[in-house]
């Protein structure tokens, strides 16, 4: 008997028919004699709709109240799924994040998991019940309800799998696995049978939303192998695993994927005096406000004056701008501007470590396509550039081809409408 954690994303539970299909699959797994803990997301676009509702009511969203609101989405799904399971003769019980003891820090909207108690889950599983847990949420050390950041149900699933010592953590979504690029943007993308944690971390960090970054970090830190697969075709998907070898082998592709991200904005502080302490003065308050600064570029200074540009998630732009305006005033900068129409395009591949010239080739391919590069950042296995958002799809497809990633056919499984 195995203990399986299964997570179903928003599109997978978007309507009554989909919830019944998921119930069939959970019933099938339980019928095999396995213990099953299910993590569910909010139905379809529910979370977006709740955020829209909050915007329609008010321009002030205290973190505590927004989290109270957003956690309801997942609660709707968990109870409906338990009802569908009851129809199938399955003894199932739903739990909120708080009820299963997912303890987080106090950062509303992007809380980090500190501990998973899981006692109620263990009891229910031991009593032969299927457990259905609301994803994306926990309870803080101050006893307030928190959310784990967008896409956070992946993190709930991995955290529960680690706490329960599950044999498998299956992430069911609306594509058949992890691909060499988002198949909605690059139809010629190829499914990867397996991908290493290191590469998946870079992909998630670069903005591929197929897995939330925190979930990959958690899985790697706790040794939870992940199986990303489709709840529409149920075919085997992609395994995210540790690399067997220390060094990549000759057969490994140099590049594993192209990652596209439209969720960042660029902030530029103009006319900054070039003297020690300026960057600290700018970035410390952003860090204190939990704003995730990604790429940073400082121009060469002319006559002791420079410009500093950096990217932040679009969702943090309002907070970041407020802070930056204040700091700019106090350090004597001449102004602040922002650009929402940017995109980040990344190449990820463990083979980069041992293959020189990848960045040069990437820049040449983009130059030949007339795509202007605004910012560049690298890690040992990733190269990212910021370009104009309007160029993103074209640039991603051309890079995918140039690095021989094309599958030779368009994505063949059904691509459900994004909810
Ligand atoms: P869920 O609601 O199931 O959590 P998400 O929308 O968060 O689903 O993630 C699945 C989506 O991730 C896919 O529909 C796909 O468009 C996108 N995606 C981005 N990059 C990739 C990739 N490399 N491989 C597969 N899917 C990707
Ligand atoms: N419902 C949340 C979101 O839309 C969490 C998730 O789906 O993982 O971000
Ligand atoms: Mg997701």
């Amino acid at each position: 008997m195995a203990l399986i954690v299964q997570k179903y994303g928003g599109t997978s539970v978007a309507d009554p028919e989909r919830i019944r299909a998921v119930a069939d699959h959970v019933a099938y797994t339980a019928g095999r004699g396995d213990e099953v803990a299910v993590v569910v997301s909010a139905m379809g676009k529910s979370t977006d709709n709740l955020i829209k509702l909050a915007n329609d009511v008010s321009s002030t969203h205290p973190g505590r109240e927004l989290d109270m609101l957003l956690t309801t989405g997942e609660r709707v799904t968990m109870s409906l799924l338990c009802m569908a399971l009851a129809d199938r003769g399955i003894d199932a019980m739903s739990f909120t994040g708080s009820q299963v003891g997912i303890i987080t820090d106090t950062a509303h909207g992007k809380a980090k998991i500190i501990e998973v108690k899981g006692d109620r889950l263990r009891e229910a599983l031991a009593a032969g019940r299927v457990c259905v847990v609301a994803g994306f949420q926990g309870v803080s050390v101050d006893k307030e309800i928190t959310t784990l950041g967008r896409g956070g149900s992946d993190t709930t699933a991995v955290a529960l799998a680690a706490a329960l010592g599950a044999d498998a953590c299956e992430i069911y979504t609306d594509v058949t696995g992890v691909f060499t690029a988002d198949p909605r943007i690059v139809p010629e993308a190829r499914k990867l049978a397996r991908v290493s944690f290191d590469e998946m971390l870079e992909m998630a960090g670069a903005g591929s939303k197929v897995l939330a970054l925190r979930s990959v970090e958690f899985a790697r830190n706790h040794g939870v192998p992940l199986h990303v697969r489709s709840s529409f075709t149920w075919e085997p998907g992609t395994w995210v695993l540790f690399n067997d070898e220390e060094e990549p082998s000759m057969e490994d592709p140099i590049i594993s994927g192209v990652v596209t991200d439209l969720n960042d904005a660029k902030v530029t502080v103009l006319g900054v005096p070039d003297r020690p302490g300026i960057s600290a003065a700018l970035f410390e308050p952003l860090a204190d406000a939990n704003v995730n600064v990604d790429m940073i570029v400082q121009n060469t200074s002319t006559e002791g004056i420079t410009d500093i540009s950096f990217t932040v998630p679009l969702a943090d732009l309002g907070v970041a701008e407020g802070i930056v305006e204040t700091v700019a005033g106090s350090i004597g900068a001449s102004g602040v501007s922002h650009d929402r129409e940017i995109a980040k395009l990344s190449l990820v591949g463990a083979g980069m470590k041992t293959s020189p010239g990848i960045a040069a080739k990437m820049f040449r391919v983009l130059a030949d396509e007339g795509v202007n590069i605004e910012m560049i950042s690298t890690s040992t296995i990733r190269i990212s550039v910021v370009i104009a958002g309007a160029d993103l799809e074209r640039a991603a497809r051309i890079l995918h081809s140039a690095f021989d990633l094309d599958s030779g056919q368009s994505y063949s499984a059904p691509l459900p409408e994004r909810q």
Side-chain angles (χ1 to χ4, degrees), residues 7 9-12 154 172-175 177-184 203 208-210 418:
K7 178 258 172 176
T11 318
S12 302
D154 294 338
Y172 286 91
T173 183
D174 54 11
V175 287
V178 178
F179 283 68
T180 49
D182 184 342
R184 293 176 197 280
M203 285 193 196
S208 165
K209 70 171 193 165
V210 64
R418 294 303 296 141

Side-chain angles (χ1 to χ4, degrees), residues 356-364 378 383 403:
I358 302 293
K361 177 169 170 182
M362 178 183 190
F363 302 155
R364 167 53 54 204
T378 61
I383 306 163
F403 282 91

Side-chain angles (χ1 to χ4, degrees), residues 18 52 54-55 160 180 207 223 261 298 310 361 365 378 380 406:
R18 292 295 320 151
K52 187 170 174 304
N55 287 333
L160 289 184
T180 49
D261 184 8
Q298 177 171 342
F310 56 92
K361 177 169 170 182
V365 171
T378 61
T380 46
D406 285 357

Side-chain angles (χ1 to χ4, degrees), residues 49-373:
N49 291 340
L50 289 169
I51 293 171
K52 187 170 174 304
L53 189 59
N55 287 333
D56 289 347
V57 168
S58 157
S59 59
T60 315
H61 303 149
R64 179 183 188 278
E65 304 312 327
L66 191 61
D67 278 354
M68 279 291 195
L69 179 70
L70 296 189
T71 49
T72 61
E74 273 63 17
R75 293 175 67 146
V76 169
T77 321
M78 72 178 190
S79 41
L80 291 175
L81 180 58
C82 283
M83 291 174 197
L85 285 166
D87 257 358
R88 284 152 184 77
I90 303 279
D91 187 5
M93 206 167 167
S94 65
F95 297 93
T96 63
S98 157
Q99 283 177 316
V100 295
I102 296 181
I103 314 296
T104 72
D105 65 16
T106 56
H108 283 291
K110 44 174 103 165
K112 284 204 173 106
I113 297 178
I114 294 173
E115 187 193 352
V116 177
K117 297 196 188 294
D119 301 337
R120 290 194 67 180
L121 276 189
R122 282 188 205 93
E123 276 166 32
L125 289 169
R129 296 204 167 91
V130 166
C131 298
V132 180
V133 179
F136 172 59
Q137 55 186 275
V139 61
S140 75
V141 285
D142 289 348
K143 298 194 168 52
E144 299 293 357
I145 298 297
T146 49
T147 60
L148 310 178
R150 296 305 304 266
S153 298
D154 294 338
T155 314
T156 306
V158 175
L160 289 184
L164 297 171
D167 297 285
C169 183
E170 300 176 335
I171 307 286
Y172 286 91
T173 183
D174 54 11
V175 287
T176 54
V178 178
F179 283 68
T180 49
D182 184 342
R184 293 176 197 280
I185 293 187
V186 182
E188 292 257 337
R190 231 176 338 105
K191 184 164 89 182
L192 300 166
R194 51 174 289 161
V195 61
S196 70
F197 272 116
D198 286 348
E199 287 171 314
M200 197 63 236
L201 266 181
E202 290 285 1
M203 285 193 196
S208 165
K209 70 171 193 165
V210 64
L211 284 174
L213 175 60
R214 291 257 182 83
S215 75
V216 188
E217 283 170 348
F218 210 102
R220 188 182 64 167
N221 294 346
H222 294 84
V224 180
L226 301 178
H227 186 186
V228 181
R229 52 193 303 197
S230 164
S231 71
F232 288 76
T233 66
W234 306 105
E235 67 196 88
T238 303
W239 282 93
V240 188
L241 300 163
F242 287 104
N243 252 344
D244 300 333
E245 304 102 330
E246 284 285 294
E247 289 300 320
S249 76
M250 294 285 284
E251 294 87 57
D252 282 343
I254 294 170
I255 303 299
S256 305
V258 171
V259 184
T260 48
D261 184 8
L262 280 166
N263 288 312
D264 277 356
K266 185 173 80 172
V267 179
T268 303
V269 192
L270 300 152
V272 181
D274 193 11
R275 58 167 197 264
I278 291 292
S279 292
L282 187 59
F283 292 110
E284 274 170 358
L286 289 169
D288 292 344
N290 229 334
V291 172
N292 244 330
V293 174
D294 183 13
M295 288 194 206
I296 304 174
V297 168
Q298 177 171 342
N299 290 349
T300 328
S301 82
T302 320
E303 290 167 13
I305 298 289
T306 181
D307 297 336
I308 299 178
S309 295
F310 56 92
T311 60
V312 293
L314 266 174
D316 288 343
L317 181 60
V319 176
E321 274 203 312
I323 294 171
V324 173
E325 294 278 357
T326 313
V327 177
S330 69
I331 61 178
S334 57
V336 179
S337 69
H338 74 253
D339 184 356
R340 292 168 168 271
E341 312 298 323
I342 60 154
K344 191 168 63 186
L345 178 61
S346 308
L347 275 182
V348 173
M352 264 185 218
K353 273 189 225 163
T354 46
S355 304
I358 302 293
K361 177 169 170 182
M362 178 183 190
F363 302 155
R364 167 53 54 204
V365 171
L366 294 176
D368 290 349
E369 235 351 77
V371 174
N372 185 44
I373 298 173

